[in-house]
Amino acid sequence: MKDYTRSDLACESMSQRKLGLESGVKSTEETRGTFHILRAEILTKEAAEHLGRGIGTYVTVECGRLDRLSHDERTQLVSLLACEIRMMGEQLTGRRADGEFDVFVAGLGNEELTADAIGPKTVQGLTATRHLRAHEGEFYRALGCASLSALAPGVLGQTGIETLEIVRGAVRYVRPDLVLVIDALASRSCARLASTVQISSEGILPGAGVGNHRAAINRDTLGTPVIAIGVPTVVNSATLVYDALNRAGIKNHSPELLRVLEEGEAFFVSPRECDLISQKVGALLSDAIKSAFTEGLSDVLM
């Protein structure tokens, strides 16, 4: 039978397929305050093929609804995400994220669709510094930050150009040490919507979670280390029905029920507060990136 458990989250793929240490996946878990962190490394080609993921590191932070965090919780989460992003970036590049370090951020998605607007809204909240190094060298060195540039490339339907082509063109010109790709994700669980942040060293396949596969954006296609950061904002409706049936112990599906599942693949469910969620999540991720690479600049440059 066809698999209806569509998800962009590595942790859900691992849970669903029950892979453990003996199967080429090394994982650790920890709790910091109210946040639960799962770190998983896919170590073998066999495990990667079984999970449909690349060999690499996947960090999942479960944090509760991101649009409902208290001020203290948000501050703690920004610090946690900044630490994870910076640490992964330095590991991938083998370099310290100092004044000679170049970061390029690509905010993927369609800003006109609220469930897909996290990438562009993250870019809107960033403080670019690359131009300062070129034109205000003394001021830039005094700030002691990394060089940061950013772009929201839109989607194929808006530009007529594959997202990979736009990002690759910018990367070839900017020549960053590290690329951050921000995107909205699809989950197989409503409980994870706007409640989970995934940080991956293996880049991203835009549109995969909603069945609209575009060209992959990763180290192989860009020639530069890539970190993908995403938050799930949608669930496939067929996945919701399939999950409910399994929980109810219904394993034998009639032809009529299969037709319902097939039709449901064309529809996606998002929280009713999706517009607020996109704004809050975009601001949260931009603050985390600024904290990781350009700490304190927003106050200096206002």
Side-chain angles (χ1 to χ4, degrees):
M1 180 179 167
K2 186 175 180 179
D3 183 10
Y4 292 97
T5 55
R6 178 180 291 162
S7 175
D8 287 319
L9 296 174
C11 63
E12 291 185 331
S13 298
M14 293 174 192
S15 174
Q16 176 192 347
R17 291 167 176 79
K18 296 181 173 58
L19 275 177
L21 296 175
E22 72 282 0
S23 305
V25 178
K26 178 182 177 182
S27 63
T28 61
E29 298 183 55
E30 67 172 295
T31 299
R32 293 190 199 172
T34 58
F35 308 123
H36 180 256
I37 307 165
L38 171 65
R39 290 187 181 83
E41 291 182 72
I42 300 178
L43 304 171
T44 65
K45 182 179 178 181
E46 292 74 20
E49 290 177 350
H50 189 70
L51 290 168
R53 313 281 165 180
I55 294 174
T57 302
Y58 300 81
V59 178
T60 305
V61 182
E62 298 175 356
C63 37
R65 278 286 293 264
L66 294 168
D67 57 320
R68 299 174 185 172
L69 298 176
S70 68
H71 176 75
D72 287 345
E73 288 174 330
R74 187 186 188 281
T75 300
Q76 293 167 15
L77 182 57
V78 165
S79 178
L80 188 159
L81 294 177
C83 180
E84 294 291 342
I85 294 167
R86 185 182 181 110
M87 181 170 61
M88 186 179 287
E90 291 183 339
Q91 289 174 345
L92 288 175
T93 62
R95 296 191 52 193
R96 282 192 63 232
D98 54 18
E100 299 302 315
F101 194 80
D102 285 88
V103 180
F104 175 75
V105 181
L108 308 189
N110 185 347
E111 189 178 0
E112 296 179 8
L113 297 177
T114 53
D116 196 33
I118 287 174
K121 290 191 179 298
T122 299
V123 166
Q124 287 174 11
L126 293 175
T127 304
T129 61
R130 181 173 178 270
H131 60 300
L132 295 177
R133 186 169 68 180
H135 303 292
E136 299 287 346
E138 187 175 343
F139 177 53
Y140 173 82
R141 287 188 293 274
L143 292 172
C145 64
S147 167
L148 184 105
S149 53
L151 173 71
V155 294
L156 180 64
Q158 295 172 318
T159 64
I161 307 171
E162 283 284 0
T163 301
L164 170 63
E165 294 174 342
I166 297 176
V167 174
R168 185 159 53 194
V171 167
R172 284 176 176 172
Y173 184 83
V174 174
R175 296 184 179 179
D177 298 296
L178 177 69
V179 175
L180 303 183
V181 180
I182 318 299
D183 202 6
L185 306 179
S187 172
R188 69 183 296 260
S189 166
C190 283
R192 289 192 181 275
L193 294 183
S195 300
T196 302
V197 181
Q198 177 174 272
I199 305 170
S200 163
S201 67
E202 288 309 298
I204 197 166
L205 189 65
V210 296
N212 184 27
H213 294 266
R214 313 302 330 159
I217 300 177
N218 54 33
R219 188 168 196 158
D220 291 337
T221 57
L222 294 185
T224 303
V226 177
I227 294 177
I229 305 170
V231 173
T233 58
V234 296
V235 177
N236 180 273
S237 60
T239 298
L240 288 178
V241 175
Y242 184 76
D243 244 7
L245 292 172
N246 283 339
R247 290 183 183 183
I250 301 174
K251 303 295 184 182
N252 298 319
H253 304 124
S254 66
E256 293 78 9
L257 188 53
L258 290 176
R259 277 198 298 272
V260 170
L261 290 173
E262 290 285 348
E263 292 169 359
E265 285 203 294
F267 298 93
F268 293 84
V269 179
S270 62
R272 61 183 178 182
E273 310 94 334
C274 202
D275 53 345
L276 176 63
I277 288 170
S278 292
Q279 293 174 5
K280 295 272 190 179
V281 172
L284 176 84
L285 295 182
S286 64
D287 283 352
I289 294 169
K290 286 188 290 188
S291 180
F293 301 109
T294 62
E295 182 69 8
L297 279 190
S298 56
D299 295 332
V300 174
L301 299 177
M302 287 297 285

